[in-house]
Amino acid sequence: MAPRRRMESLGWIEVWRRSRESWHWPLLPPPVLGEKGRSGSFAFSNYQITLDQKALQLGPLYLENLFHHLIVQYIFCPRSLENAGILALAALKGLGHPSGSNSTYVSAYGLTLGMASQIESAHRMVNIFSDIVSDSFRLERSERDEELVLMGWRRLGELDGRSLNPLDRVVLGFLREFWGASFPSCPRPEVEHLLRIFSAGIRDKSLWPRQCQEMARILGALEPGILGQGPVRAQEILNGSADAVPLLCAANLDAGEYEEALAVLGQKGDLKRWYRDQSYFIEIREVPRARSEVTPSGFAKWRLTDPCYDLDVSYSLSLSPHLIPGVSTYKRDHETSPMMPERAGVPDLLVVLDSSRSMEGPRKGTKTHKATLAAFKACQFAHSMGAELAAINFSENYRLASWTRDLNAVEDVLVEFLATRTHIPGKRILELAQGRPGCLILCITDTHIQNLYQEWEDIKRASEVGRFVLFSIDPDYRDRHVEESLSSLGQIYYIRQLDDLISLVVEVSERAYGGESFIFS
């Protein structure tokens, strides 16, 4: 109980409450007391801001500055995991890290010593950039904020100059000129370079990636010191939800770039998360089949231009003994009224995905990349509609996920790349289809199937049990006899442009789960 009494005596809870009130009560969890001797700065425990005894002993004024600094980072810069990811990519680029398809896929080969060092350096640059931006924002807010900001940075400047490494001295010298503050000067040329980078100020968020990149390029060669330690402070990381929040810029990244950006943020990235985050922008809409009902509404004149079967002879003779077209002839009028959409049954979904060598592997823009992304989105949508899922990922061997509601298990199968010959497992497809009669079977392949005729009978029977839809990539090299055989199974789409694959899978999913029968229409 001694630590708790100590914290209460320092009044840190009241300091935290007033700090949140000053920034309009942001939804952040209260700090907790960290373990003694815990390494790092502003460490996290159970997704909380953690204070140690040393920080408490520095007094309420120090804590107030610390709380304000953290709050602004969570509400302004970097604020979100997405912004932090963009800054991480900019820092890596500024440090000279290779980008694009030449970037090494981290999960396949592991972090080399050089890569780990560069990721740690980029991590530090993101934190230093967010420190500069956040405190520059606070400095302009009020005299009280200015007092707190300058007090915090003076503590760094008051340290023995010999204990400050070059990076800390350059940043402090830059802030002396940028803010017009009484900090120790630094004669190094990097100070002037930083002043040019931040000459446009910090309010324009569109400039942040470029500013962070150039700052990293200038500071990357300097020996690090105190600044930049600790985790990147994004709201999703603090709240423990970073694993479930999509990194929206993933659509523009190769797998290696994506994983390295998350590594800078202290997060783990893999192929499955890469595909999930890309699928965020793909929209599949539920389009239920509308119904209508026709009911009689009254009588209207029947004219010679109307069909003969519309003439109501009995009613017309009840009004006049003579049938004079357009005068004493009548027809029954009708009106159409909409009804509630019919709730169609939800078909279970079986995805059969080709991961042979000819599909080119999981690099951005390849057949494997587009096919896996399309399969991910179809599974996510079917799962959201209540369908059970199954998957077969095939090459010379195959990986299988039997019928389940576990989306993760299915995605684990789809994301693998087997990279050998193309042998489709017809018997396994049939067994899964027989387990869910009427299921939707989406098969995505480049149709270079070498054992098609050996497996033909099983595939044909599977297409009779379920509803078979084939997406045939690379039609320029398709076998005409294979094409004729496959077309007898159900619906077949020939993908002449790879970018069309995802939109076609989306269209088929919308129609299948909207209640419209499209396979045999």
Side-chain angles (χ1 to χ4, degrees):
M1 296 297 293
R4 183 176 295 276
R5 288 197 298 270
R6 172 79 175 159
M7 292 170 69
E8 290 174 354
S9 66
L10 292 173
W12 72 272
I13 296 178
E14 179 61 22
V15 175
W16 170 253
R17 189 195 67 79
R18 291 192 313 182
S19 298
R20 287 187 63 226
E21 181 182 16
S22 176
W23 292 97
H24 308 290
W25 301 101
L27 297 177
L28 300 174
V32 296
L33 180 63
E35 300 172 4
K36 185 178 180 181
R38 189 183 182 97
S39 61
S41 175
F42 311 142
F44 289 80
S45 174
N46 297 325
Y47 314 124
Q48 301 280 320
I49 301 169
T50 303
L51 303 174
D52 55 20
Q53 290 288 355
K54 182 179 178 181
L56 294 176
Q57 292 169 357
L58 293 174
L61 199 61
Y62 172 85
L63 289 177
E64 184 178 0
N65 178 57
L66 170 61
F67 291 155
H68 280 245
H69 178 81
L70 293 177
I71 286 172
V72 173
Q73 289 198 323
Y74 291 127
I75 66 174
F76 184 61
C77 180
R79 180 176 182 174
S80 66
L81 187 73
E82 174 69 8
N83 287 336
I86 292 172
L87 294 179
L89 290 168
L92 284 169
K93 188 173 182 180
L95 293 169
H97 190 73
S99 61
S101 59
N102 295 324
S103 181
T104 305
Y105 182 37
V106 180
S107 65
Y109 305 105
L111 281 171
T112 65
L113 183 61
M115 290 170 60
S117 174
Q118 204 162 42
I119 285 174
E120 174 58 32
S121 181
H123 177 102
R124 191 182 298 272
M125 292 301 147
V126 172
N127 277 343
I128 292 174
F129 180 80
S130 65
D131 286 343
I132 292 173
V133 172
S134 298
D135 281 350
S136 297
F137 177 72
R138 292 174 58 205
L139 197 75
E140 301 173 0
R141 186 169 180 255
S142 68
E143 292 184 3
R144 176 60 175 171
D145 287 291
E146 180 180 352
E147 177 186 347
L148 292 172
V149 169
L150 298 180
M151 179 207 69
W153 284 92
R154 284 197 187 101
R155 289 187 61 86
L156 178 66
E158 289 168 0
L159 296 175
D160 185 353
R162 290 172 297 180
S163 68
L164 289 180
N165 286 340
L167 188 147
D168 296 334
R169 292 202 299 270
V170 166
V171 172
L172 205 58
F174 156 68
L175 293 178
R176 167 192 169 92
E177 305 298 329
F178 189 52
W179 291 346
S182 57
F183 299 156
S185 62
C186 179
R188 295 183 65 111
E190 290 88 350
V191 172
E192 290 298 325
H193 296 326
L194 291 177
L195 284 171
R196 284 197 291 271
I197 292 169
F198 287 93
S199 61
I202 51 87
R203 294 279 186 162
D204 188 350
K205 297 181 181 180
S206 66
L207 298 178
W208 286 359
R210 185 66 179 180
Q211 289 174 322
C212 184
Q213 175 184 327
E214 292 302 306
M215 188 200 76
R217 182 180 60 81
I218 291 168
L219 300 181
L222 301 178
E223 182 182 355
I226 298 172
L227 295 175
Q229 297 180 12
V232 175
R233 289 173 280 276
Q235 283 192 22
E236 294 88 349
I237 297 176
L238 177 66
N239 295 328
S241 60
D243 291 338
V245 173
L247 195 64
L248 302 183
C249 60
N252 302 319
L253 303 179
D254 208 337
E257 294 177 288
Y258 173 79
E259 187 162 357
E260 289 156 10
L262 283 177
V264 171
L265 307 182
Q267 298 291 304
K268 177 175 173 54
D270 52 27
L271 274 177
K272 185 165 72 171
R273 186 171 177 180
W274 181 53
Y275 281 118
R276 278 185 173 179
D277 285 2
Q278 291 178 87
S279 68
Y280 182 81
F281 283 113
I282 303 172
E283 181 183 6
I284 300 182
R285 299 169 299 171
E286 181 184 359
V287 187
R289 184 172 56 185
R291 294 192 299 162
S292 60
E293 184 178 55
V294 178
T295 56
S297 61
F299 288 96
K301 290 290 179 65
W302 181 90
R303 305 183 186 282
L304 287 174
T305 54
D306 294 329
C308 292
Y309 55 77
D310 279 353
L311 175 62
D312 191 327
V313 177
S314 298
Y315 181 76
S316 300
L317 289 174
S318 71
L319 297 178
S320 172
H322 306 290
L323 296 180
I324 304 172
V327 178
S328 61
T329 50
Y330 293 87
K331 63 180 179 179
R332 175 73 74 171
D333 218 352
H334 296 81
E335 64 180 16
T336 302
S337 58
M339 300 178 64
M340 289 294 292
E342 180 181 3
R343 180 61 180 173
V346 177
D348 294 319
L349 175 64
L350 168 59
V351 175
V352 182
L353 182 64
D354 183 354
S355 68
S356 61
R357 188 183 299 112
S358 61
M359 292 288 284
E360 303 172 342
R363 297 182 308 280
K364 191 172 186 296
T366 62
K367 288 185 278 187
T368 293
H369 170 236
K370 296 293 187 181
T372 307
L373 183 55
F376 261 57
K377 192 61 183 182
C379 286
Q380 291 167 8
F381 182 66
H383 183 268
S384 70
M385 297 293 291
E388 286 199 3
L389 308 173
I392 293 179
N393 186 340
F394 71 93
S395 184
E396 189 169 6
N397 298 312
Y398 64 89
R399 301 287 184 270
L400 183 146
S402 296
W403 293 109
T404 180
R405 283 283 298 162
D406 186 352
L407 181 60
N408 279 308
V410 173
E411 290 177 339
D412 286 338
V413 168
L414 294 175
V415 82
E416 291 197 46
F417 181 60
L418 304 177
T420 52
R421 294 183 294 177
T422 313
H423 288 181
I424 191 167
K427 183 178 180 180
R428 293 290 175 257
I429 296 173
L430 175 59
E431 290 174 352
L432 289 172
Q434 288 175 333
R436 296 292 187 277
C439 67
L440 174 63
I441 305 172
L442 298 184
C443 181
I444 307 176
T445 175
D446 59 7
T447 57
H448 301 170
I449 302 173
Q450 298 166 9
N451 68 335
L452 178 64
Y453 295 111
Q454 293 92 319
E455 302 291 322
W456 176 255
E457 289 301 322
D458 288 332
I459 296 174
K460 180 66 175 176
R461 290 173 60 194
S463 69
E464 294 167 355
V465 174
R467 299 182 292 173
F468 191 88
V469 184
L470 175 70
F471 299 90
S472 174
I473 305 173
D474 206 7
D476 292 339
Y477 300 98
R478 67 177 185 252
D479 185 313
R480 182 173 58 84
H481 300 291
V482 172
E483 171 188 332
E484 292 174 354
S485 299
L486 292 174
S487 63
S488 67
L489 297 177
Q491 183 72 46
I492 182 169
Y493 292 87
Y494 295 110
I495 312 301
R496 290 178 171 79
Q497 294 185 5
L498 197 54
D499 288 340
D500 294 338
L501 174 62
I502 294 176
S503 61
L504 287 172
V505 172
V506 166
E507 178 185 338
V508 167
S509 300
E510 288 177 343
R511 296 171 67 185
Y513 291 94
E516 181 179 350
S517 175
F518 64 100
I519 304 298
F520 302 108
S521 58

